[in-house]
Amino acid sequence: MQQENVEEPKMNDAFETGKDRARSWFETLRDRMLAGLEAVEDAAEGAPGCEGKEAGRFTRKAWTREDGGGGVDVFDCPAESSRRPAVTP
């Protein structure tokens, strides 16, 4: 007589739940870090070297894979429009 493996679905459910919790934690961390950096940019208004320059912002672009999954890419703003100096090689 063949026995059913009852434990495997529970482990898979726990694994998926853990993945979802980790994804959420890292997304929240990313969002808090970006918000903090943008707040620094906002606070620099009027500081020497920042006159007439817009506060830097990040651009977020969601993406998905054809076979499932995906995420969000984060790009910083172009150097010419931000307060930070352009870096030249």
Side-chain angles (χ1 to χ4, degrees):
M1 177 180 232
Q2 203 174 28
Q3 289 184 330
E4 271 187 49
N5 187 350
V6 183
E7 294 300 316
E8 190 172 329
K10 288 181 185 177
M11 286 178 56
N12 284 340
D13 290 345
F15 180 72
E16 291 301 319
T17 299
K19 279 179 29 179
D20 292 341
R21 288 181 62 206
R23 180 183 303 112
S24 177
W25 187 86
F26 280 108
E27 287 172 351
T28 299
L29 176 63
R30 176 203 60 214
D31 293 343
R32 290 178 62 195
M33 289 171 51
L34 295 177
L37 291 168
E38 289 177 346
V40 168
E41 285 285 313
D42 292 339
E45 187 171 343
C50 298
E51 300 89 357
K53 296 180 182 175
E54 291 183 33
R57 290 291 177 256
F58 291 95
T59 302
R60 295 157 178 88
K61 181 181 176 189
W63 57 274
T64 56
R65 292 187 184 131
E66 290 178 11
D67 59 345
V72 176
D73 286 334
V74 178
F75 304 96
D76 64 346
C77 60
E80 61 272 1
S81 67
S82 71
R83 293 186 178 140
R84 62 185 173 84
V87 177
T88 54

